[in-house]
DNA sequence: ATTTGTTGTGGAACTGGTTCCATACGTTAT
DNA sequence: ATAACGTATGGAACCAGTTCCACAACAAAT
């Protein structure tokens, strides 16, 4: 495989001159450039991006840390990051953590080892302190509120989103609510925020029988609904931690002839529209784009993004501006 | 930032020795190793993966070329590839082509430029010849039948899958069928195979009014069904080119009080189960895993993977072994 | 006539690793 | 006694680029 030195030798010019021709930078006479190009063609030369990256100290690659690649929330978010990166001539690589702190440290070490120019954490198991500690090796941004930590972030105020959705439900007379959460309240930030929002709106903790933990797939939605109805036959709402879970719940309710029970999901996936249940739109597309943009800004910027509660079915309110958005999507 | 030479100098040992300590290879005395490690700690040294990659001529990265990152088919396939790569200590990077030949050439050039150790094409716009031409720069595998071309591949015989599904429908008396296809029959391989399969089973071309082209999203499913029913009120089946499209079709049919019309999708996503329509499972997970495995094998291997027609709703046949699979998933 | 600026080119140091080879010493086998 | 081998270490070439700096040649301005 020919390198730049071979091209220099064959063309009879110096390495510097060849480099100038390749990168079209600096002064090169037309005749010289032509000779160099001829030599490149003869030798079938092509630049080695690795050597270039080493020399420049820049990879044009970012790592996207996410717990699961096949989870709709992270999929949507990561897709947005990929697209934004691509539009800026960067490549993005998915780094699946399974919420393992050891894996996350490995990814941070990759940043330290110059494998990436920067890292985006869509979620995490390790504390923010650890991220701050690694910031000296390259920029790191988060897709969640970083509070007082010196880390840039693009995020929706999920607590406010949950409060808003629950308040809407309460205002319309729905008070008997079952909830699913992703992990336990101790390990998952969103689980914690969900139960806190309930407490804020209803002034008391949710009954333990109406809280379904470790909810990940549509089958958990099916199971959760059965559990809720077992303890509370007058159930009015299944408040789910994702659209696929909500879809499972919706299906099970139909099967049990309890389509009177409302279902709400999150992520605003096509399925929520198709099956006609409400969904909290966390604006993952906007979040992903912002997270990438912030990566290469010098200041620490915290970019809150307002979420939307997409009200469908019985919750639908034609005076609601969300409907405009739905109509926009439909056309 | 300290490098290996700095560590060598501070520890009073040679670069070679430091390298041996880092990589735990060759002979190093215990005392020497300790001194080197102490120097590394003092200098806060960490290896530069770029330099290492350059020296080794190996990046431990593969590129995954796919037309759209937010398309369920490619998402599922690409996720499987990512997971397989990760399990083998490789990183995978998504390269979105939008079916643009220029972009695909760019990705092939990245292989040439040593940015990746190999490439996996999940789909493509450029001819196989071009891929073969670039094979000398690194391994390339495909996720579709590569016929007589010297390219490894993991694929399902989609034509056979379509024939099988359509034959099943015909056997059960369903003959009035509308079909959606992703692009036109000229540009899309799967579109071509779909219409060919129809011809094989029914002995004639599908009526143009019952063929809906450029079908990509759930909204296309909605539009397609309306078109089909307009021309053929006795429609019996909407045969869709994806589960989200099928879900759109199913919803529209319900809205039009025509739930008697069967719907079939592809990809076997959760939504197909939840909304109760049949779906062709192209075994994308297995395909992705295989595609990665094949990348680093020396011989050219073509790995056909049998697809499955997941029969649901009125098509459900309890003697069908597919049901075992569904039950397995449910538990 | 001298300074200044533009154009054009090459040398050499720099990015930070890996690895082949030579050398040296101590131990064991012939 | 010496050949053969295992242990331990260092030197230097190698991977393949980028870029600073020096130096010429020539034109235009002072």
């Amino acid at each position: 495989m020919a390198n730049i030195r071979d091209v220099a030798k064959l063309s009879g010019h110096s390495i510097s001159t060849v480099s100038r021709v390749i990168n079209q930078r600096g002064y090169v006479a037309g005749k010289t450039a032509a000779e160099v190009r001829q030599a490149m063609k003869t030798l079938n030369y092509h630049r080695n991006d690795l050597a270039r990256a080493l020399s420049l100290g820049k990879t044009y690659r970012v790592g996207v840390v996410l717990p699961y690649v096949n989870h709709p929330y992270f999929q949507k978010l990561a897709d947005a990051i990929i697209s934004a990166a691509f539009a800026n001539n960067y490549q993005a690589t998915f780094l699946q953590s399974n919420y393992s702190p050891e894996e996350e440290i490995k990814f941070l070490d990759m940043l330290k080892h110059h494998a990436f120019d920067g890292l985006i954490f869509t979620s995490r198991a390790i504390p923010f302190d650890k991220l701050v500690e690694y910031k000296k090796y390259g920029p790191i941004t988060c897709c969640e509120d970083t509070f007082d930590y010196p880390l840039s972030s693009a995020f929706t105020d999920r607590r406010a989103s949950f409060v808003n959705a629950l308040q809407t439900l309460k205002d319309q007379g729905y008070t008997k609510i079952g909830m699913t959460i992703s992990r336990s309240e101790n390990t998952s930030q969103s689980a914690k925020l969900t139960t806190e929002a309930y407490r804020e709106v209803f002034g008391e903790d949710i009954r333990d029988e109406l809280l379904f933990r470790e909810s990940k797939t549509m089958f958990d939605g099916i199971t959760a609904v059965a559990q809720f109805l077992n303890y509370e036959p007058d159930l009015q709402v299944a408040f789910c931690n994702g659209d696929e879970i909500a879809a499972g719940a919706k299906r099970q309710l139909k099967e049990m002839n309890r389509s009177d029970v409302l279902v709400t999901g999150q992520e605003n996936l096509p399925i929520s529209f198709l099956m006609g249940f409400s969904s909290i739109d966390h604006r993952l597309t906007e979040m992903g784009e912002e997270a990438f943009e912030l990566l290469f800004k010098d200041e620490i910027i915290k970019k809150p993004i307002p979420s939307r509660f997409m009200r469908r079915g019985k919750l639908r309110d034609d005076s609601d501006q969300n409907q405009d958005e739905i109509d926009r999507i439909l056309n």
Side-chain angles (χ1 to χ4, degrees), chain A:
Chain A
M1 202 110 291
N3 63 27
I4 198 170
R5 274 154 244 263
D6 300 326
V7 174
K9 189 168 288 175
L10 181 68
S11 67
H13 297 280
S14 72
I15 295 171
S16 330
T17 301
V18 176
S19 179
R20 274 181 222 114
V21 173
I22 295 170
N23 298 298
Q24 307 188 51
R25 208 200 324 268
Y27 297 112
V28 181
K31 182 164 165 285
T32 307
E35 285 163 7
V36 168
R37 260 187 271 274
Q38 178 56 48
M40 292 203 289
K41 189 164 269 179
T42 306
L43 293 169
N44 189 27
Y45 167 84
H46 32 261
R47 186 182 70 208
N48 185 320
D49 282 348
L50 277 173
R52 186 185 167 85
L54 171 61
S55 189
L56 293 173
K58 220 169 176 318
T59 61
Y60 291 97
R61 270 202 314 275
V62 297
V64 181
V65 180
L66 71 181
Y68 317 107
V69 288
N70 62 349
H71 185 291
Y73 178 95
F74 297 106
Q75 222 160 37
K76 202 169 170 181
L77 180 53
D79 284 350
I81 296 171
I82 287 245
S83 297
F86 209 77
N88 288 277
N89 274 316
Y90 270 77
Q91 285 167 29
T93 299
F94 288 171
L95 304 169
Q96 179 167 327
S97 70
N98 294 307
Y99 277 125
S100 146
E102 291 78 31
E103 287 295 325
E104 291 182 9
I105 296 286
K106 262 211 247 169
F107 302 147
L108 287 168
D109 281 335
M110 286 181 187
L111 181 64
K112 190 153 94 172
H113 294 164
H114 301 94
F116 298 107
D117 289 351
L119 282 185
I120 298 174
F121 273 79
T122 61
S123 186
R124 83 217 135 77
I126 52 176
F128 281 129
D129 293 309
K130 205 80 194 167
L131 300 190
V132 173
E133 185 190 324
Y134 273 81
K135 249 187 59 178
K136 58 172 173 279
Y137 302 118
I140 298 175
T141 66
C142 293
C143 299
E144 60 180 317
D145 196 340
T146 47
F147 305 103
D148 288 338
Y149 292 91
L151 291 164
S152 284
S153 58
F155 60 97
T156 52
D157 184 340
R158 282 189 292 184
R159 195 173 197 282
S161 310
F162 295 147
V163 167
N164 171 39
L166 288 169
Q167 189 65 52
T168 303
L169 288 165
K170 190 185 174 195
D171 290 348
Q172 310 235 347
Y174 298 96
T175 54
K176 293 191 171 18
I177 298 177
M179 285 179 146
T180 71
I181 54 180
S182 61
R183 292 175 286 161
S184 84
E185 305 92 305
N186 305 322
T187 51
S188 163
Q189 180 71 5
S190 74
K192 187 164 156 257
L193 296 173
T194 307
T195 51
E196 279 177 10
Y198 184 93
R199 196 178 310 126
E200 177 169 337
V201 173
F202 292 98
E204 57 180 24
D205 282 346
I206 187 164
R207 280 162 53 199
D208 206 55
E209 310 91 67
L210 293 178
L211 189 61
F212 183 93
R213 296 184 180 83
E214 303 294 336
S215 164
K216 315 233 192 249
T217 72
M218 60 173 174
F219 300 110
D220 294 319
I222 292 172
T223 314
V225 159
Q227 177 192 307
F228 295 158
L229 285 173
N230 189 31
Y231 289 106
E232 178 57 87
D234 295 335
L235 186 78
Q236 293 175 299
V237 181
F239 190 94
C240 301
N241 62 311
D243 275 352
E244 283 191 1
I245 293 135
K250 180 105 183 167
R251 180 185 185 277
Q252 180 65 13
L253 285 165
K254 190 183 166 197
E255 210 132 282
M256 296 173 83
N257 279 316
R258 287 299 303 270
S259 292
D260 59 296
V261 178
L262 272 191
V263 172
T264 69
Q266 294 178 38
E267 293 139 8
N268 194 24
L269 299 182
I271 199 174
S272 67
F273 170 74
L274 288 167
M275 293 182 73
F277 55 82
S278 302
S279 187
I280 299 173
D281 184 342
H282 290 297
R283 310 285 294 279
L284 298 174
T285 304
E286 292 82 352
M287 203 191 290
E289 284 166 6
E290 277 297 339
F292 179 82
E293 300 291 338
L294 294 178
L295 204 52
F296 298 110
K297 294 204 168 148
D298 289 327
E299 326 107 89
I300 290 164
I301 300 173
K302 320 240 170 179
K303 184 93 181 188
I305 297 169
S307 71
R308 280 184 307 225
F309 186 40
M310 308 300 277
R311 296 160 60 177
R312 306 211 177 89
K314 273 182 284 183
L315 266 191
R316 186 172 174 138
D317 170 9
D318 286 328
S319 74
D320 193 315
Q321 60 193 21
N322 281 333
Q323 296 309 317
D324 300 342
E325 179 65 18
I326 292 176
D327 292 339
R328 193 185 61 75
I329 293 171
L330 274 166
N331 295 318

